[in-house]
Every structure is written in C-alpha cells, then in structure tokens.
Amino acid sequence: MKHCHARRVRSAARNRGFALIAFLMLVVLVSAYVIADQLTRTNSELAKFREDRTMTALRQAKAALIAYAASEEWQLYKTSGTSYFQPGALPCPDKDDDGDANCIGAGITPTSSIIGRLPWKTLGIDDLRDSSGERLWYALSWNFRKLQGGAPPTIINSDTPGQLTVTGSAPATRVVAIVFAPGAPLGLRLPPQCSGPLSGPSQDRVAGHETAANYLENFDLDVGVGVYYTFATSAQSGDCFNDRLIVITQADIMAAVEPVVAARIERDIKPYLDTYVAHWGRYPFPVLFGDPATSDYKGVAGQVSGLMPLTADSTFVTWQNPPVVSDSPSGSITSQDCAASSITLIDCTVAYNGTPTLDFSLAADNAGMAFVRKHFISDLAITVSGSPLLPAPSLSSVNNLPPPVNIGKGTVLLSLSMPLSAAPVRIQIPPPPLQPPPPIVVPTSWDNTMMTLATPSSAAGAGWFIANQWYKQLFYAVAPDLLPGGGGNCIATPPCLTVNNLASPNNKRVILVLAGRELNGLAPRPANLQNYLEGANFTAGTTFVYEHRAGAPTAINDRVVVVAP
C-alpha cells in the first residue's frame, strides 16, 4: 500500500510539473504575441504618424501656393524683381536652397528654374519639412511662373494649360505644379532592381545637394522641349521609391483665382465703361462673338452682347465731312472751304467779318465701335492758323459742349466753340483719340495694341487684363436702349437685363460676364459659345436674362460683374 501511495504522489507531482511547464509555455506564447502585436502596432502607428506629418506639410505648401496665385499683395511684396500682379502666377522654385524663388535674369531659358525646393520665404510660410526632416521640393509648369526681372513673359488665364504629368498609382495630366516630400535618401547605392529615368545609381545628398535626382525618384524630362516633366507616384514606399507628392491642377488654381479676377475686373475694367458713357452718353457696341483668338475686337452696330471692343486702331474712328459751321451774331462767315478734309482730318479754311465765335458741329463715325474719347484740348491736336488770334493761344478758348447727341448707329454729334478775332483762319481737327494704354510698364513682347482709354482715377490699370488675355473670356452685354441710337433708358421693349442669383436681379443696364475655365476639360477650348457660357448665359442674347454662378462650379462657373446701375 505504501508503494502504491508513493507512486501516486510521484505521478501527481509529475503531472503538476507538466501543467506548470505548459502554463509557462502558454504565458511565453501569449507574451510573445502581445509584444509582437504591440511592436507591429507601434510600427504601424509610427508609420502613420510619419505619413500624416508629411502629408500635412504637403497640404500646407499647396494651400500657400494657391493663396500666392490669388494674392496681389503677396506677389507684389514677397517676390523680388516684380511690381506686377499676375492672377494665377506661381513663384519659381528655389534653386540654391535659401528659401527664395530663383527666376530672375535675361538668361532664363525654358529649362531654368522649373524644379527645385519650395521657395518658402517667397511664400511667407514656415520652412516646411517632411517626416525625414528634408525640405520640400517643387516642380512648376514653365507657363505658370511669376514674371520676374528679365525672364520671358508669360500669359496666364483660364485657358493656360498645365504642362506636367504624373504617372503611377495616382496619374494626372496637365498639372500646373507639384510639391514633393523626398523622404530619407535611399542609400548611396540603390538596389540593382531599382531603375527609372534619371533615378541614378545613388542618392548622394552631400555631393549633389542641388541635384533633384538625389532627392526624387523616377522622373523624366523631355530634353527636346525642356518643359514637360513626368513624375511618378507609388501607393507604398519601398527600397526604390519613397517620394510623396501633391499636385496642383488648373482647376485648383482657377477656383481661387477667378473670383479675384472678377473683383479686379469690377475695380479696373468697369471704370473704363463708366468713363466712356460719361463722355458719349451711350455705351459702345459689343464685338460679335467668334473665335476669341482671331477676333478683331471691333464693335458691330446693332450687337447687344459679345466681347469687348478693345482694338486700338487709330483709323477706326473718322469724321463726317464737311462740318457744319455757324457763327455768333457779332460776326458773319463770308466763306467756308473744307476741300482739304479727309475722313481722318477736318481741314477747313473759314473767312468771316467781325469777331465771331465759330461753332463747329462734327459727326464722328464709328465712335460707338471702340473705346474712343470725346475730344479734349489736351488730347486733340487742333491747330488754328490765322493772325491775330484772341485770346492767345486760341486753343485755350476751345470749349466742349455737354455730352453729344447720339444720332444713329455708331455716329455721334460733337460741338466745338472757339472765339476768334481776325479772318481768315484754317482749322484742322483730327478724330477723337483712342484712349491711350494704361500707365503700367509691361514687357514690349506682350500684345499692347489693345485696350484703350486713359486709366480713370478710380482704376488701377488694365495692363494685367490685356497682357494675360483675360479679355478672351470676358463677355459684355448692354440693354439695347443704352447703345448708340437708343433712347438712354431701359424700357419694356427693348428691355433691361436680368441677372438671376443676385440679390437684386432686375433692371441691369450693362454687365460683364467672366466665363471662367472650360468645364469639359477640353484644351484648347473650342471656339463656340457653349464652351464659354453655361446655363441662361448661353441663351441670353435673345432673352436678356443672365445668371451669376451658383451651386456646383462644375455645372456653371460664369461670374457676372454689374457695370450699371
């Protein structure tokens, strides 16, 4: 019995030992699983933290660039070498890692300053870094760069396309700009399986501190053109690729820029129309819409909507001849000879008795087709020959009568009055001048043969508007009674204009409509009205009912600027 009892005790002890060992093994396994899970979770959370930090920096950079494109003050005061606001323009990249944009000098070529680091000082933001501590890099479409110094000029508007391309997991075309987080270097010698144009065999960021290939992987440059960069994206980082990037599309830029342009049109372009109607009593005729790229931008009699009549053609406005000449009761005209006159010059010799005041009634043809000024002594080169002349000089006594009377399509009457003291006199009067270009310095290679009037005191100038060809996307509509030959008031027939989606939609006399970017993604934009105007604006030429942008900008992006009332 004793032996059996001892065996049972030893067997129980062994079983307890096995159970303890099994329990300890289970504890070890559970602990290992918990530790592994914790390590995995920690690594995952750390990777997520790093990704979030990198993407936050990229998003901040994108927001700053878009703000720069829409900010007049930022462009004027934060970009050296420029005094000119260019809606939509972006700063050149930083080429020497000092935080400032580098795009100045006569030697700039289409491959210069197209890729480099983010110019954080020019943007007025923090020195943004990715999770590896590297500064952000930045590529820019050549045609969206901010005008600086001696660099070739750019034309930026809603039709300017992006020139960059992105391939890989998040492809995109016609991209305006890209901001990169380069990540940590992939080693001084990339693995053999890594390949790609310009990726290079190494990323030596000490010897090649300014070389993009030492920071960015798998990008390509069209060497023959020097503009059209192609960059790659990847869903995950690896041994061959660890760039993270964010793109800026034309839609991103124009969503912020077009409201600013509309406000600038109200500030800078509307006063030109105000000045014109104050001179002539009516608004000029619109240009018949055709292809904005080939239009002559001359008004057409009877047209109530279209483009703006911007052509600076000195022969476009002519005089009707001969003028009607009368005199005051204190003297009398004995002869009048205007045979020397032409369609562009009133040239009359008038003989008279006594000391009359000569009154000329002149008709200016086509004054309603362009932004032409009603004559002023300081503008018109009026010459009066004859001796003696009282008072002297006689030009100081030429007076303007009240606003002229509109007598027909494109023709307005204008009266002059000049007191003289002896006969005969020869009077030469050229047509009213086109309003001179705005007082703003723009590169001579830009098209400055358009736009016209002297800048009204309330306007800042139209140089930005003409130089960047925003007039190709700006429509102009007038109530018929406010055009030459009309009665001057909106009445039931013909009507005033209606603009829906405004607080006060009715009884508009004159409006401007900024068409905005092409919403179908077509580039170049087809030369038909439906690719410029949407909704009621497309049919407004016959209904006189327009609409301001409201709702989803992908359905209608037209913006209305009310000129009068």
Side-chain angles (χ1 to χ4, degrees), residues 365-421:
D365 292 333
N366 301 322
M369 315 313 197
F371 279 110
V372 59
R373 291 182 69 122
K374 184 167 72 76
H375 90 281
F376 287 95
I377 300 309
S378 60
D379 295 333
L380 277 180
I382 300 176
T383 59
V384 181
S385 304
S387 181
L389 299 175
L390 290 177
S394 64
L395 293 186
S396 65
S397 299
V398 180
N399 300 314
N400 293 295
L401 294 181
V405 178
N406 291 266
I407 62 171
K409 293 181 178 180
T411 304
V412 269
L413 288 177
L414 180 67
S415 296
L416 311 176
S417 180
M418 59 184 76
L420 302 173
S421 62

Side-chain angles (χ1 to χ4, degrees), residues 66 70 249-260 517 549 553 559:
I66 292 174
T249 65
Q250 193 210 44
D252 292 330
I253 291 287
M254 291 305 157
V257 167
E258 285 171 358
V260 174
R517 69 184 184 89
R549 184 190 72 84
R559 298 178 184 275

Side-chain angles (χ1 to χ4, degrees), residues 42 46 77 133 145 178 187 248 263 342 382 419 443 462 464 509 544 547:
T42 300
L46 181 59
Y77 299 115
R145 74 198 183 286
I178 307 173
I248 300 177
S342 66
I382 300 176
W464 67 273
R509 296 186 169 197
F544 301 102
E547 63 177 310

Side-chain angles (χ1 to χ4, degrees), residues 170-461:
T173 58
R174 295 200 292 268
V175 174
V176 171
I178 307 173
V179 185
F180 303 87
L186 294 180
L188 296 181
R189 181 65 55 179
L190 295 180
Q193 69 272 19
C194 297
S195 63
L198 300 184
S199 63
S202 66
Q203 285 193 328
D204 186 350
R205 297 182 180 180
V206 177
H209 185 65
E210 309 299 339
T211 302
N214 289 327
Y215 293 82
L216 308 178
E217 296 84 52
N218 296 337
F219 68 92
D220 191 12
L221 170 64
D222 183 345
V223 178
V225 178
V227 173
Y228 306 109
Y229 276 94
T230 298
F231 298 90
T233 55
S234 177
Q236 295 181 341
S237 297
D239 293 336
C240 301
F241 189 95
N242 67 348
D243 297 341
R244 284 290 176 262
L245 58 89
I246 193 168
V247 302
I248 300 177
T249 65
Q250 193 210 44
D252 292 330
I253 291 287
M254 291 305 157
V257 167
E258 285 171 358
V260 174
V261 169
R264 285 291 301 261
I265 286 171
E266 183 170 13
R267 188 186 83 180
D268 298 345
I269 307 305
K270 173 181 176 292
Y272 291 134
L273 288 162
D274 293 339
T275 300
Y276 184 94
V277 75
H279 286 176
W280 294 110
R282 300 293 183 272
Y283 292 94
F285 288 110
V287 176
L288 180 66
F289 176 80
D291 184 351
T294 59
S295 173
D296 61 5
Y297 289 90
K298 296 179 180 180
V300 175
Q303 192 72 17
V304 297
S305 64
L307 301 170
M308 292 186 71
L310 301 178
T311 298
D313 184 346
S314 61
T315 65
F316 189 58
V317 179
T318 60
W319 289 122
Q320 285 183 349
N321 295 298
V324 177
V325 180
S326 61
D327 62 334
S328 63
S330 61
S332 62
I333 295 173
T334 59
S335 66
Q336 172 187 345
D337 182 4
C338 296
S341 297
S342 66
I343 61 173
T344 58
L345 177 68
I346 297 294
D347 189 347
C348 295
T349 300
V350 179
Y352 58 91
N353 293 320
T355 56
T357 297
L358 296 183
D359 295 309
F360 277 68
S361 295
L362 309 173
D365 292 333
N366 301 322
M369 315 313 197
F371 279 110
V372 59
R373 291 182 69 122
K374 184 167 72 76
H375 90 281
F376 287 95
I377 300 309
S378 60
D379 295 333
L380 277 180
I382 300 176
T383 59
V384 181
S385 304
S387 181
L389 299 175
L390 290 177
S394 64
L395 293 186
S396 65
S397 299
V398 180
N399 300 314
N400 293 295
L401 294 181
V405 178
N406 291 266
I407 62 171
K409 293 181 178 180
T411 304
V412 269
L413 288 177
L414 180 67
S415 296
L416 311 176
S417 180
M418 59 184 76
L420 302 173
S421 62
V425 295
R426 183 182 181 188
I427 303 169
Q428 294 176 301
I429 307 175
L434 292 164
Q435 307 194 38
I440 186 170
V441 177
V442 295
T444 56
S445 57
W446 271 336
D447 178 9
N448 202 29
T449 62
M450 303 179 73
M451 204 58 189
T452 48
L453 28 135
T455 304
S457 59
S458 60

